[in-house]
Amino acid sequence: MLKVGVLGAGHLGKIHLRLLNQSQKYDLVGFYDPNSDNAEKVAKEFGYQKFDTIADLIAAVDVVDIVTPTLSHFECAKEAIKAGKHIFIEKPIANTIEEAEEILQLANQYNVKGQVGHVERFNPAFTATKAKIENPMFIETHRLAEFNPRGTDVPVVLDLMIHDIDVILSVVKSKVKNIYASGVSVISDTPDIANARIEFENGCVANLTSSRISMKNMRKSRFFQKDAYISVDFLDKVCEVVKMKDAPEIPGDFDMILQNAEGIKKQIYFDNPDVAANNAILDELETFAEAINNNTTPVVTLEDGTEALRVAYKIIECFKK
C-alpha cells in the first residue's frame, strides 16, 4: 500500500480523503489544509491526521494528492516533486500553461509519476463505449450546470468545458488545426456560457457548449463516425451505440432498413454495451496507484492535462478577439 497524503480539505478534498481511507491500494497518512479552523473541524469529525505544514505532510508520504484551488496547484506540485513524491493533481493541472509545462519538466527530471484528475475518463458510460469510438469525424458536447458560486473564479471553459476537451483529445488521434469560440459573461466577471468549434487536421470537427447558469444539469456527448453514432450521457451514466451495416438480401420483419438516393441499403442496429456501476474518483485514484506499482503510464498523464489546458486557453483567447 502506498502512503498518501491530501493537500486541501475542501468539498472535493473531503471526498478524496474518504475514498483514500477506504481504498485497499493506499494507506492514508493524513492531510494539510491552510484554513486552520476547517482543518481542525475535519480532523475532529473524521479522525484523519492533520499536518501543520505542507512540508511535514510531503515528508511522510509516497504520493501527494493535490486537491487545492487551481491557483496553488503549481507550488504544491513543485514542492512534492522536488521531494521525489508522485503527484495526483486535480484538474485543471495548473493555472497557466507555463506552470503546467514546468510541472511536466520537473516530473521528468525527478523521475516521478503524475496523473491529472480528469474524472470523466473514468465515467462508466464513457469507459463502456470508448473502444467503439474509433475515428469520429463530428463530435457534439453539452455540459450545462445550475449556478454554483464555487468555481466562478475561473472562466466556464476551465471550470466545465475542460472535461469535454480532455475526453475529445483522448479519442481524436489528430492535432488541433483551428479553434473558433465565443463566450458571454452573465453573472460572473468571466464567461458563464461558452461555445467552441475545434477543427482537427484529420477533418474531425468538435462542437462544444458549456454553461454554468442553466436551469438543469446536462452532460452529454455525441460521436459520429463512419457507420456509427455513439451517445454518452455522463450525468445519468447511460450510453447508446447505433451502428449501420449492409442490409441482408431478405430483411427480417423487424429489421430497420435505410436506403439512400443511390439505392444502397443499410441495416440499423443497436450495439449498446453494459455500463458497470463504479466510483469514478476512486477508480482514477486506484489506477494511479497501479501505474506507480507496475511502473506503467497513468491513464491521464501530465501531458494530457497540459494539452487540455493549452486548448482551453486557445478557446479563452478567442473570446478576447
Side-chain angles (χ1 to χ4, degrees):
M1 289 172 79
L2 294 161
K3 286 188 165 65
V4 66
V6 177
L7 295 181
H11 172 74
L12 190 55
K14 285 202 275 265
I15 294 171
H16 278 232
L17 282 163
R18 175 172 57 80
L19 294 171
L20 289 167
N21 196 39
Q22 70 186 47
S23 171
Q24 301 298 304
K25 298 185 188 292
Y26 289 102
D27 171 18
L28 177 62
V29 173
F31 74 98
Y32 169 79
D33 191 283
N35 181 327
S36 55
D37 289 346
N38 183 55
E40 199 66 53
K41 190 177 163 202
V42 170
K44 197 172 280 185
E45 191 175 340
F46 302 104
Y48 308 132
Q49 186 182 343
K50 171 177 71 78
F51 283 79
D52 294 328
T53 68
I54 291 179
D56 287 350
L57 175 75
I58 290 172
V61 300
D62 308 308
V63 181
V64 179
D65 181 11
I66 300 166
V67 202
T68 61
T70 306
L71 287 171
S72 61
H73 282 187
F74 174 66
E75 288 302 328
C76 293
K78 189 164 74 167
E79 197 170 333
I81 293 168
K82 285 187 170 179
K85 312 297 177 164
H86 304 292
I87 57 160
F88 183 96
I89 190 165
E90 256 313 315
K91 66 87 200 162
I93 180 173
N95 191 46
T96 67
I97 294 154
E98 292 73 25
E99 287 179 352
E101 285 174 341
E102 192 171 334
I103 289 171
L104 203 52
Q105 180 253 316
L106 284 168
N108 289 332
Q109 183 185 334
Y110 286 85
N111 196 27
V112 301
K113 291 193 183 294
Q115 180 163 317
V116 184
H118 284 288
V119 71
E120 292 291 38
R121 295 264 209 115
F122 298 84
N123 187 297
F126 179 64
T127 56
T129 51
K130 191 179 179 204
K132 297 177 188 294
I133 304 171
E134 287 162 353
N135 187 27
M137 294 312 289
F138 182 73
I139 301 168
E140 191 165 37
T141 73
H142 287 87
R143 185 167 293 262
L144 316 177
E146 294 172 14
F147 182 72
N148 180 349
R150 200 168 58 83
T152 52
D153 53 330
V154 294
V156 70
V157 176
L158 294 177
D159 183 27
L160 296 178
M161 191 184 279
I162 198 161
H163 284 293
D164 298 313
I165 293 169
D166 173 68
V167 164
I168 289 166
L169 294 177
S170 77
V171 296
V172 179
K173 302 306 176 195
S174 178
K175 287 197 168 90
V176 172
K177 184 177 163 190
N178 293 312
I179 292 175
Y180 307 94
S182 57
V184 179
S185 301
V186 181
I187 52 176
S188 312
D189 293 334
T190 59
D192 298 301
I193 302 173
N195 176 260
R197 176 186 167 93
I198 303 172
E199 297 176 354
F200 293 87
E201 288 179 358
N202 70 350
C204 176
V205 172
N207 192 23
L208 299 83
T209 302
S210 289
S211 164
R212 59 182 172 207
I213 50 165
S214 293
M215 298 302 286
K216 61 173 188 173
N217 294 325
M218 179 195 279
R219 304 204 309 254
K220 278 187 179 171
S221 295
R222 300 173 180 88
F223 304 86
F224 298 84
Q225 60 197 38
K226 179 74 174 158
D227 292 338
Y229 157 76
I230 296 145
S231 167
V232 179
D233 187 327
F234 290 92
L235 187 62
D236 291 333
K237 299 178 175 56
V238 293
C239 56
E240 186 176 55
V241 180
V242 183
K243 287 190 169 180
M244 286 199 294
K245 61 183 176 184
D246 292 334
E249 287 289 321
I250 305 166
D253 291 343
F254 300 104
D255 287 351
M256 293 172 67
I257 308 294
L258 282 182
Q259 182 173 332
N260 67 11
E262 287 76 38
I264 296 168
K265 292 181 179 178
K266 293 275 187 179
Q267 180 185 350
I268 295 174
Y269 66 102
F270 294 89
D271 180 21
N272 295 345
D274 291 329
V275 177
N278 75 332
N279 185 309
I281 296 176
L282 181 61
D283 277 5
E284 67 177 352
L285 291 165
E286 292 197 332
T287 60
F288 185 48
E290 287 162 13
I292 294 166
N293 287 327
N294 302 326
N295 195 25
T296 53
T297 304
V299 176
V300 186
T301 63
L302 297 175
E303 287 89 347
D304 292 342
T306 302
E307 200 50 42
L309 188 67
R310 198 187 309 281
V311 171
Y313 269 113
K314 282 181 182 170
I315 290 169
I316 292 165
E317 279 300 310
C318 290
F319 300 161
K320 294 172 186 171
K321 291 174 192 170

